[in-house]
Amino acid sequence: MTSRRPSRVHIREVGPRDGFQNEPEHIPTADKIRLINALAQAGLKRIEVASFVRPDVIPQLSDGVEVLHGIDVPDDVRLMVLIPNSRGLDNALKVREKFHEAAIFVSASETHNKKNVNRTVAETMADNDKMAARIEAEGLDCAAVIATSFGCPYEGKVELDRVLGLAERFAEAGAAEIGFGDTTGMANPAYVTEFFAAALERLPGVEVTAHFHNTRGQGLANAFAALEVGCASFESSFGELGGCPVPPGSTGNIATEDLVSMFHEMGVETGLSLPGLIDAARAAQDTLGRKLTGHSIVAGPVNWN
């Protein structure tokens, strides 16, 4: 297949939400604010910073409003929050001036969706249709996320047509961006090539975003495969933080610093400072008090001198 590799990509940092939510220890709000500010200083223009879920479900994110009020990032940094349902949207809109994008989501797998949000896919999508209209009416950008896009740990294979059918419904509801999540690291580069070639063809005018986890060590290979067929939008997490609340053993996203290192070595522009990202990941490592798994934290940038 002929490469359709873009010369420049956009990267959204999801560590402050997708990463922090899976940490077992409480992370002080001040530390979250400091780390988000550091990520912005590294050049990131897209950062997912909070989720409006019930505090008893994900207590690690219960300080989302305080984080939104406390961070100090440049005006051109676009902040995203994750919205699980209409009640969460009600709460988010109370601080509507503090963020720019709202992400709604569903799992492509019925079993994962039920375990994740305790609703059927049909129930979730009905609520998503309503939320998309409200988000658009508020002048916010609406993004959609489809979890288990590449496979479900409970059901196995998830048909490509099912995933893209959900994506098309999101697009019809007003989502300007649709992210496809490899929630538990079941994707492989060959299928990613097929998947994103089809997604880019079926979703004209929609920003198609790749969200890979490194559960089985294939995250960067999958990102490369998506890049080669024309995907120019990615999500990643500094220090390889992250995972999924269900099931156990779902480890982190691909590390932002590793993804950027790979792209830069390939001549693909990101607009990001790799040393700045590594510094932020090392700061997160110090804050959490344990070794993180991003490779560039140890190796640093490639030195060709």
Side-chain angles (χ1 to χ4, degrees):
M1 178 179 292
T2 302
S3 172
R4 298 180 180 177
R5 181 191 306 169
S7 61
R8 184 179 182 88
V9 298
H10 303 289
I11 295 175
R12 176 180 291 107
E13 172 61 52
V14 300
R17 195 281 303 172
D18 201 353
F20 291 166
Q21 76 173 18
N22 288 283
E23 288 303 309
E25 301 88 0
H26 171 71
I27 305 173
T29 303
D31 287 336
K32 293 180 182 179
I33 291 169
R34 175 175 54 84
L35 292 170
I36 292 170
N37 290 343
L39 291 166
Q41 289 303 314
L44 283 154
K45 303 301 183 187
R46 297 170 158 186
I47 307 176
E48 187 181 39
V49 293
S51 175
F52 284 84
V53 298
R54 281 169 33 201
D56 61 311
V57 176
I58 303 184
Q60 196 63 271
L61 299 182
S62 61
D63 59 351
V65 171
E66 290 82 0
V67 169
L68 283 165
H69 279 284
I71 55 179
D72 182 16
V73 299
D75 291 341
D76 60 349
V77 176
R78 297 187 62 79
L79 303 176
M80 172 181 278
V81 300
L82 188 72
I83 310 293
N85 50 43
S86 287
R87 180 175 295 181
L89 182 57
D90 291 340
N91 293 329
L93 292 179
K94 294 175 183 177
V95 289
R96 182 254 174 270
E97 75 282 357
K98 293 296 182 180
F99 61 92
H100 310 91
E101 303 172 337
I104 54 181
F105 63 94
V106 72
S107 298
S109 148
E110 286 286 353
T111 305
H112 189 274
N113 201 71
K114 186 72 172 177
K115 288 180 178 290
N116 195 35
V117 296
N118 198 30
R119 293 192 296 186
T120 67
V121 168
E123 290 168 339
T124 300
M125 290 303 291
D127 197 21
N128 280 333
D129 287 342
K130 297 174 184 176
M131 287 195 290
R134 292 179 63 194
I135 291 167
E136 188 173 17
E138 289 287 338
L140 293 161
D141 287 342
C142 179
V145 179
I146 304 177
T148 62
S149 287
F150 303 90
C152 171
Y154 305 106
E155 297 181 12
K157 184 174 177 60
V158 179
E159 294 297 330
L160 173 60
D161 194 59
R162 173 179 174 81
V163 180
L164 295 186
L166 290 168
E168 288 168 336
R169 179 166 170 181
F170 273 129
E172 290 168 2
E177 177 186 356
I178 300 173
F180 296 99
D182 182 25
T183 310
T184 58
M186 296 174 70
N188 65 77
Y191 184 60
V192 166
T193 297
E194 176 188 351
F195 184 100
F196 277 94
L200 290 163
E201 181 178 352
R202 284 181 55 170
L203 297 165
V206 174
E207 182 173 5
V208 173
T209 297
H211 178 116
F212 295 114
H213 286 229
N214 204 34
T215 312
R216 294 170 177 84
Q218 298 183 62
L220 287 180
N222 290 331
F224 174 77
L227 180 79
E228 288 296 283
V229 292
C231 181
S233 181
F234 294 83
E235 291 184 337
S236 55
S237 178
F238 69 142
E240 207 171 90
L241 292 168
C244 177
V246 291
S250 301
T251 56
N253 299 264
I254 51 176
T256 305
E257 62 275 13
D258 293 346
L259 182 66
V260 170
S261 178
M262 181 180 78
F263 284 156
H264 286 184
E265 291 303 307
M266 294 172 62
V268 177
E269 296 181 19
T270 67
L272 304 179
S273 164
L274 179 56
L277 291 172
I278 293 173
D279 286 346
R282 287 172 176 166
Q285 183 170 256
D286 292 341
T287 297
L288 296 172
R290 63 179 175 82
K291 188 177 185 297
L292 299 182
T293 51
H295 296 284
S296 298
I297 293 177
V298 178
V302 175
N303 184 353
W304 288 103
N305 295 320

